[in-house]
Amino acid sequence: MKKVFLSLSFVFLSNSVIIAQTASLASLKTIDTEYKVKENNVAEILKYLASDELEGRETGKPGMVKAADYLEQIFKDNNVKPYFKSYRDTLSIFKGSAFNIVGFIEGNDPVLKNEFIILSAHYDHIGLGKKGVNGDFINNGANDDASGTTAVAEMAKYFSIAKNNKRSILFVFFVGEEKGLLGSKHLAKKLKAQDFKLYTQFNIEMIGVPMKREYLAYITGFDKSNMAGKINEYTGKNTIGFLPKEAEFQLFYRSDNYSFYDVFKVPCQSVSTFDFENFEFYHHVSDDFKAMDILHMTSFIQELLPAVTQMANTPTQEIIMLK
């Protein structure tokens, strides 16, 4: 009789856990559905970051500092706390003045909050060119990577309102990417030395224009982890696909995700909608605001919200390395 009672108790507890988890997931999906990324907000951030005033945001230049000031203010306005003593993580491997901008939102689970997800993009670009086009010498870098920076800023806004992340989230705007991934190399080593527990890094790179494919975006290092499949599971759509050009050009090693993979050896990948066919202004003065598709960016950020929310809330580490 005791065995039967214990068995029934176990079933009851198991069902209670399942019901609680289902209710929790339903709550998360409700928040994702109700929250709307606004086109005018996306346009406002992107337009400033890609403006002539910032002169191409070259690392160490005044335009970079203006961009940093602007991004800091977004964190302040949305109650995203500085992870270090200030938002500015000064580079130790750059001769001039340069700094990553780092904020975080602590997780609300007593155990999972010790694990971190990094949502990141680089806010620097290549600055002024020596050879102008029709008198324009400013490489505004709207797609590369003001678009990704805008997406991370919008995600920070979302989590500051939703407050639904069990894991802690580090929001990072890297500097020095165009100089050789300097900002991400610096921060990865710094965090590793502090016994930082990284679950995954989701880096956003060049999402300003849509692809004409059966999927919305691709990730670098597609077969290195199960991240693509998990994102599609979390969104319930064919959000991420495999782009052969990504593998051909080994893009996994060419953006800020690699710095963290190299140090932490966990899934660290970049998402992009630039597919070498849909945008001809890479490192060009015509990579400016008017070339961007704001509607696409807005809907893409919206589609990613349930994925990053699930990353922050799964009770176990569902995103894992495959090789």
Side-chain angles (χ1 to χ4, degrees):
M1 187 68 180
K2 286 182 180 178
K3 288 183 180 178
V4 173
F5 181 75
L6 288 172
S7 235
L8 289 172
S9 297
F10 177 75
V11 170
F12 177 77
L13 288 172
S14 297
N15 287 340
S16 296
V17 170
I18 291 169
I19 291 168
Q21 288 179 343
T22 303
S24 177
L25 291 176
S27 175
L28 293 177
K29 287 179 180 178
T30 300
I31 293 170
D32 293 334
T33 302
E34 291 180 350
Y35 183 89
K36 297 298 180 185
V37 180
K38 297 178 181 178
E39 285 183 55
N40 61 324
N41 290 343
V42 171
E44 180 183 356
I45 296 172
L46 182 64
K47 192 170 187 177
Y48 180 74
L49 292 175
S51 65
D52 285 354
E53 179 186 343
L54 272 57
E55 297 186 319
R57 310 185 309 277
E58 184 176 355
T59 298
K61 301 294 185 180
M64 179 219 79
V65 177
K66 289 182 179 180
D69 291 341
Y70 181 78
L71 295 169
E72 275 189 6
Q73 194 59 51
I74 289 176
F75 280 165
K76 291 175 183 176
D77 291 345
N78 290 279
N79 297 313
V80 178
K81 299 177 182 178
Y83 183 72
F84 302 111
K85 290 182 179 180
S86 76
Y87 292 108
R88 300 191 177 194
D89 168 45
T90 302
L91 268 61
S92 59
I93 50 178
F94 184 74
K95 291 182 179 179
S97 176
F99 31 82
N100 300 314
I101 303 300
V102 186
F104 90 112
I105 295 177
E106 186 176 30
N108 57 32
D109 183 272
V111 176
L112 289 177
K113 71 177 183 179
N114 296 313
E115 297 179 5
F116 279 81
I117 290 170
I118 294 179
L119 299 178
S120 61
H122 72 92
Y123 75 96
D124 68 305
H125 195 53
I126 60 173
L128 302 176
K130 293 181 180 179
K131 294 182 179 179
V133 177
N134 297 324
D136 185 1
F137 292 85
I138 301 173
N139 294 289
N140 301 89
N143 198 27
D144 186 15
D145 186 29
S147 64
T149 300
T150 299
V152 173
E154 286 296 322
M155 288 181 181
K157 290 181 184 179
Y158 162 72
F159 280 105
S160 73
I161 293 170
K163 295 181 174 63
N164 61 352
N165 53 297
K166 293 182 178 179
R167 291 184 175 87
S168 295
I169 303 176
L170 203 69
F171 300 95
V172 184
F173 301 118
F174 292 117
V175 76
E177 192 268 359
E178 301 287 3
K179 303 287 187 183
L181 314 182
L182 296 184
S184 55
K185 286 178 180 178
H186 162 85
L187 185 59
K189 291 178 180 177
K190 183 175 181 177
L191 292 175
K192 184 66 174 179
Q194 298 178 358
D195 195 30
F196 184 84
K197 292 178 174 59
L198 178 61
Y199 172 40
T200 190
Q201 179 198 15
F202 190 60
N203 190 60
I204 306 177
E205 180 84 42
M206 299 181 71
I207 60 161
V209 291
M211 302 187 297
K212 295 179 180 179
R213 300 178 186 271
E214 66 274 14
Y215 49 89
L216 188 60
Y218 64 93
I219 59 170
T220 60
F222 181 88
D223 60 350
K224 292 184 182 299
S225 82
N226 65 344
M227 184 183 287
K230 283 297 175 182
I231 289 175
N232 291 342
E233 179 184 321
Y234 297 157
T235 61
K237 299 179 181 179
N238 192 22
T239 303
I240 305 294
F242 172 68
L243 183 74
K245 282 285 186 184
E246 177 275 318
E248 178 184 343
F249 290 111
Q250 297 189 309
L251 299 186
F252 178 77
Y253 303 96
R254 295 174 60 181
S255 193
D256 289 310
N257 62 282
Y258 180 68
S259 300
F260 280 82
Y261 168 76
D262 189 40
V263 171
F264 287 91
K265 296 297 188 290
V266 299
C268 300
Q269 288 160 284
S270 294
V271 65
S272 182
T273 65
F274 164 69
D275 66 358
F276 300 90
E277 297 174 8
N278 60 352
F279 191 69
E280 59 183 327
F281 302 126
Y282 175 72
H283 283 194
H284 191 283
V285 296
S286 295
D287 179 8
D288 55 23
F289 176 77
K290 66 178 181 290
M292 299 295 95
D293 188 326
I294 302 301
L295 178 60
H296 155 72
M297 285 182 59
T298 303
S299 62
F300 182 52
I301 297 166
Q302 186 76 53
E303 186 160 325
L304 288 178
L305 290 183
V308 294
T309 301
Q310 289 291 78
M311 287 181 191
N313 285 282
T314 56
T316 59
Q317 294 190 352
E318 293 189 350
I319 298 175
I320 58 173
M321 297 300 300
L322 298 178
K323 65 177 186 178

